[in-house]
């Protein structure tokens, strides 16, 4: 299901453009293990998910396996904007990670299942 991919890969993937350090911000300051909770607020997607995500060099990936396509990066500012897809379904994710190890934002799907909701993240390592 696309929401699985959303939680796993995209919640922490950021904008597809390269991340540039501003004012000394490091592109990899969000690297590490994160736990992401995805909550569906409307649509026929499952109510909630929690998944592990690994961020390395500003790029996010699901801590498990999967047949999802993830595109995007976490910006040095913590900004998150990304897309994940599986088959004809796709999810758009926006939000922000914070230096204190948290983050949140929103997501929407398109394709055969239309859903939207919010996500929360916590650094785990």
């Amino acid at each position: 299901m696309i929401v699985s991919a959303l939680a796993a890969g995209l919640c922490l993937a950021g904008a597809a453009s390269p991340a540039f350090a501003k004012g000394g911000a490091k592109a990899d300051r969000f690297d590490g293990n994160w736990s992401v909770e995805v909550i569906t607020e409307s649509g026929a997607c499952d109510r909630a998910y929690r998944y592990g995500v690994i961020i390395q060099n500003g790029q996010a990936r699901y801590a498990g396996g999967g047949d999802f396509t993830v595109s995007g990066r976490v910006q040095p500012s913590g900004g998150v904007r990304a897309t994940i897809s599986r088959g004809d379904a796709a999810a758009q994710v926006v939000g922000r990670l914070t230096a204190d190890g948290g983050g949140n934002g929103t997501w929407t799907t398109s394709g055969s299942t239309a859903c939207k909701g919010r996500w929360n993240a916590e650094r785990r390592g």
Side-chain angles (χ1 to χ4, degrees), residues 14-98:
S17 61
F20 296 100
K22 295 179 183 176
K26 291 179 62 177
D28 62 355
R29 73 183 180 141
F30 298 104
D31 284 6
N33 296 315
W34 292 77
S35 176
V36 179
E37 177 186 36
V38 174
I39 300 165
T40 300
E41 295 178 326
S42 69
C45 297
D46 288 347
R47 173 71 179 125
Y49 297 87
R50 182 173 293 276
Y51 292 96
V53 174
I54 299 168
I55 299 177
Q56 187 173 23
N57 297 321
Q59 293 195 356
R61 65 181 165 86
Y62 178 42
D67 58 349
F68 305 106
T69 301
V70 177
S71 63
R73 294 184 51 83
V74 176
Q75 298 176 349
S77 65
V80 172
R81 182 174 305 279
T83 302
I84 56 170
S85 59
R86 179 181 182 195
D88 72 342
Q92 305 300 315
V93 179
V94 295
R96 180 164 305 281
L97 298 179
T98 61

